[in-house]
Each structure stands twice: as C-alpha cells, then as structure tokens.
Amino acid sequence: MNSERKIAALGGAPAFQSPLHVAQVNLPAWEKVEEMFKGVFGRHYFANHGPLVTELDRVLSETLQVEHAISVTNGTMALMLLARSLDLPGEVIVPSFTFPATIQALTWAGLDPVFCDIDSESHTITAELVEQKITNRTVAVMGVHLWGRACEPESLTMLCENYGLKLIFDAAHGIGCKHKGRFFGGFGSGEAFSFHATKVLNGAEGGCITTNDADLADRLMTMRNFHPSETYTNVPLRFNAKMSEAQAAMTLLSLKELKYNIAANKGRYQAYMKGLAEIPGLSCIEYIEENNYQYIVVEVDDEIFGLSRDDLVDALKLENILCRKHFYPGVHNWPKYKLESLFLGNTEVLCKKIMQLPNGQAMSINDVNKICKTIFEIRDSREFVELKDEFIR
Ligand code: T4K
C-alpha cells in the first residue's frame, strides 16, 4: 500500500490528535451512575458489606453460574487471598508470561513461585509443561486464563488430582469468557477476577474470587474483613479486602452493560482481524471459544514485517496510538526472581514479539481501520524503516 501521508516519526502530523490509550474505560451513562450513587449517599453506608456488595456477590455467582462469588478491592487482592487461603508452605507452579500481580500475590502469601514455560499458541501453561516442574516441594498450580483464553482446566485438574496438588486460576482477563460452554468461575478450587478500570467489566478497581467449595468460600469471606457480623472461621490471616459500596455500584452498572460492551469489543476485534490480515508478519491472536474480546494481541514477526515489535510500538506512540508490550520482560527476568539456570524458550520469544493494540468504548470501527492503515504506512515508509534508530531513539 502506498501512502501519501508522512508518518509522525518523520515529522508528519500524528494519525490521532489526542492519545488513544491501549484501554479506554467502559463507562455507563452518567445519569445511571448518579442514580446509583444517590442511593449510596442516601443510605450513609459505604463499606462493610452494604446492600450493593451483597447484591453484587449474588449477581456475580448467578451470572457466572458458580456457587460463591466474594467481591474484594481489586484483582491483586483476590489473588492474594486465594493464594493465602491455601495455607500451605511450598512452591506454586505458575507462568512468567503474565501481569506481575499473579506472581506478587504468591510471594505476598509466603509461597514460592516456580516459573513454567507456556505454549506458543495458547500463551498459557499446559499440563505437560507443568508436570516437568513438579517436585516434592510443589503444593499448587496457578493457571492464568491469559487474554480470556482458558488455561487447560481439564488436563490441569487431572494432573493436580494425580499429584495431590491444589489448582487455582488467575481469571483477571476472563469475565464473560467461556470454556466448553461454561463460564470461567468454577474451575479449580477457586478463580480470581479483576474489575480494574481497564477491564471489560469496570468497577473502578475491584475484583472477586469465585468457588464452588463452601468451606473455601467461608474462609475467604472471613479473610476479607474484620467485620464483627462475619463468621469466625479459623483462617490463616485476615485483611481489609472489602469492596466498597461505591465500587459495587460501578460494578453492578457495568455488569448490566457487559454483553453490549463485549459485542462492541467483538466488532472492533473483527475489524482488527480483517485489517491486520493484510499485513504480512503481523498476526492477531484468535479467539476460538466465547471471549470478551477485550485484548487485541498481536504477534510481530520482525523478519517478515520488516520492523521489530519495539520499533512499531515506538512509531505508533508518535502517532498517538499507545500500545503496550504486555508482558515484557516476563517476571522471571525481574532481579528478585532471576535464576541463571532457568530458560523459558517460548516465554522469551513471546516477550519480544507480543504487543497489545488499543480497544474500548471510545473507539469506533473507523478508528480501528485508521490504526491498521497507520501500521501499513509505518511499514511502507522506506526512509523510516532504513533509518528508524535515528528517528525514534
Ligand atoms: N492478573 C492479571 C493476568 C492481570 O492482567 C491483572 C491486571 C491482575 C492479575 C491484577 O488485577 P488488578 O489488581 O489490576 O485488578 C493494566 C491494569 O492496571 C491491570 O489491571 C491489568 N491487569 C493490566 C493488564 O493492565 P498497566 O499498568 O499496563 O495499565 P494502566 O493501568 O496504566 O492502564 C492502561 C491505560 O489505560 C492507561 O495508560 C490509560 C488508560 N486508563 C487507565 C486507567 C486506570 C484510563 O483511561 N483510565 C483509567 O482509569 O496495567
């Protein structure tokens, strides 16, 4: 494709006038927010399991078709509580290709993360790869449903049963996603979700843990607060991890709009798929099962595309298209966790190739098409491709 426009890296005007963030927040109409908050203010009740948090726990368990949903302050706290509730010392097998919260939650819970490589297609750990990491110190496996794609629930369950290990999931990306027709929420002993502002379900921070295990639910409800009306089940530790009424108000409103937001995401995802299919060297990950389409994840093959992932991200930034290199460099490369003896081949490759493109409510299909066109323009800009180091570094 020949383009007349001078790309921003060569001094042209940016493709977008103002920054287009990787995630734009999904917002309900202001009148609905006002109405909901009038209720909160009118009741003078803001914390400690008010009516909205109670309602949210009920609606979440009903929506996700799971026995118990326990809402908390954020996704990281959901992971921390879930990990701490295991009350076991030892090692947990986990991917490194994830948001750092997954690993930090284990460390906060006093557990030792053991990094496992991922499958290069699914971007998740597999039962086969996990089995190679099991030692007599292993107590659990934490799978991550990355990009809302299921992390082998059946084979990991079978493996963990065979070895007597606990299985928990980081489902931060997974609200509204299904595996074999079943919503995420009931896999493993428990699953942790995030309702961060950048997620398809925006609780303005927030999260929850779901489980079908009544004892675990009781322990988690006890661990999340100090409120005297809670049960006094014996638990390892208690926190203030309660979701507020304000967060519950936002989450409930956002839940009502979830299916519309997912449908809009799907439209943009399909437009990206179409636009990027015409660009050799770029491939957008596929969603075979029902997904929330929140993440537009692209793998850059620099030899075919002609530019590296990092060059493309830098050039797009100058166009006001703000992408993310999730999850570079991989948590196993953090100084705290780095082991010279550890090599995660697929993780290393993906950390250098994957980027996330913008998606969310503030974007139209035209915007998606414009982003795809801009990528063409950057690739076709010979001057830039040859001298990129001088232009953007
Ligand atoms: N497990 C996994 C696998 C996760 O991906 C995450 C979080 C967690 C656990 C932990 O869940 P939480 O504790 O966060 O509930 C973002 C999010 O902060 C994070 O929630 C998310 N995963 C991660 C994948 O992405 P950042 O630091 O890369 O992006 P951030 O927060 O700067 O937001 C991206 C852009 O979105 C901003 O540059 C501007 C825009 N934005 C953001 C916020 C917060 C807005 O326009 N408005 C906003 O209010 O981590």
Side-chain angles (χ1 to χ4, degrees):
M1 180 186 280
N2 283 324
S3 169
E4 316 239 311
R5 193 180 74 91
K6 194 180 205 184
I7 63 168
L10 297 178
F16 289 84
Q17 279 188 339
S18 48
L20 194 59
H21 290 291
V22 70
Q24 300 106 45
V25 285
N26 284 331
L27 287 177
W30 175 247
E31 302 74 53
K32 293 184 187 170
V33 178
E34 201 176 14
E35 191 57 34
M36 200 68 146
F37 274 79
K38 268 187 195 159
V40 177
F41 277 60
R43 284 188 290 277
H44 286 234
Y45 201 87
F46 288 84
N48 295 359
H49 316 305
L52 297 184
V53 169
T54 309
E55 169 72 355
L56 178 64
D57 285 356
R58 188 191 64 72
V59 175
L60 282 169
S61 76
E62 204 175 275
T63 308
L64 301 177
Q65 293 150 12
V66 61
E67 293 291 323
H68 309 276
I70 299 124
S71 56
V72 291
T73 39
N74 56 53
T76 306
M77 187 54 88
L79 287 166
M80 285 166 64
L81 283 183
L82 186 56
R84 192 66 184 88
S85 74
L86 298 175
D87 204 14
L88 292 166
E91 295 177 351
V92 179
I93 299 172
V94 67
S96 159
F97 194 63
T98 178
F99 196 62
T102 318
I103 315 303
Q104 292 286 281
L106 295 173
T107 305
W108 272 101
L111 291 154
D112 299 320
V114 168
F115 296 110
C116 180
D117 206 0
I118 47 172
D119 176 76
S120 58
E121 289 293 313
S122 68
H123 299 182
T124 64
I125 54 173
T126 66
E128 209 182 326
L129 292 165
V130 167
E131 191 164 19
Q132 295 164 24
K133 294 281 174 179
I134 296 174
T135 68
N136 57 9
R137 288 208 66 230
T138 311
V139 292
V141 174
M142 165 125 52
V144 180
H145 300 307
L146 206 72
W147 322 126
R149 300 194 297 185
C151 176
E152 299 209 346
E154 294 87 2
S155 50
L156 283 178
T157 301
M158 211 183 302
L159 181 81
C160 289
E161 277 172 10
N162 286 345
Y163 283 89
L165 305 175
K166 294 276 183 198
L167 174 63
I168 52 179
F169 286 102
D170 178 338
H173 299 181
I175 199 90
C177 300
K178 285 183 176 172
H179 174 59
K180 297 192 175 161
R182 232 177 107 187
F183 278 115
F184 294 2
F187 298 119
S189 311
E191 306 206 54
F193 291 85
S194 165
F195 311 146
H196 185 259
T198 55
K199 298 287 184 287
V200 65
L201 183 70
N202 170 17
E205 291 278 13
C208 80
I209 310 156
T210 53
T211 180
N212 283 318
D213 177 337
D215 286 340
L216 178 62
D218 194 32
R219 285 155 62 78
L220 288 165
M221 280 190 276
T222 308
M223 285 174 76
R224 82 173 155 181
N225 87 340
F226 298 97
H227 194 261
S229 71
E230 281 285 312
T231 68
Y232 281 98
T233 306
N234 188 21
V235 292
L237 263 180
R238 301 179 71 150
F239 301 83
N240 177 1
K242 302 182 301 285
M243 181 183 265
S244 73
E245 285 290 278
Q247 288 176 289
M250 279 296 289
T251 314
L252 279 164
L253 286 171
S254 192
L255 257 179
K256 284 197 182 123
E257 300 183 356
L258 184 63
K259 68 174 179 215
Y260 306 106
N261 289 328
I262 290 178
N265 271 353
K266 188 171 182 179
R268 285 182 291 264
Y269 167 76
Q270 286 168 336
Y272 268 120
M273 281 300 256
K274 198 162 162 241
L276 297 176
E278 294 172 29
I279 309 179
L282 291 194
S283 53
C284 197
I285 65 161
E286 292 192 43
Y287 294 118
I288 311 289
E289 298 199 276
E290 218 168 306
N291 201 280
N292 56 36
Y293 302 95
Q294 180 72 356
Y295 296 100
I296 311 295
V297 182
V298 171
E299 191 171 329
V300 183
D301 183 326
D302 50 359
E303 286 191 3
I304 301 174
F305 181 64
L307 286 169
S308 70
R309 183 269 316 263
D310 290 358
D311 290 332
L312 181 58
V313 169
D314 289 347
L316 286 170
K317 188 173 173 195
L318 297 172
E319 305 285 358
N320 270 332
I321 302 168
L322 307 183
C323 304
R324 277 275 202 268
K325 301 179 196 174
H326 283 315
F327 289 99
Y328 177 82
V331 190
H332 70 291
N333 281 320
W334 284 23
K336 176 177 171 51
Y337 297 112
K338 199 163 173 60
L339 290 174
E340 288 311 322
S341 55
L342 180 69
F343 179 68
L344 305 173
N346 290 336
T347 304
E348 294 290 350
V349 170
L350 287 169
C351 283
K352 294 191 182 84
K353 286 187 160 187
I354 293 288
M355 61 187 279
Q356 203 189 317
L357 288 167
N359 192 17
Q361 206 177 50
M363 277 177 64
S364 64
I365 300 289
N366 279 345
D367 291 331
V368 173
N369 294 338
K370 194 164 164 188
I371 292 173
C372 296
K373 183 166 173 270
T374 307
I375 295 174
F376 266 114
E377 290 168 342
I378 291 168
R379 185 207 58 177
D380 287 350
S381 182
R382 289 279 146 242
E383 201 183 345
F384 171 67
V385 172
E386 280 156 24
L387 299 169
K388 58 189 182 303
D389 290 345
E390 288 171 33
F391 287 117
I392 46 182
R393 303 264 151 64

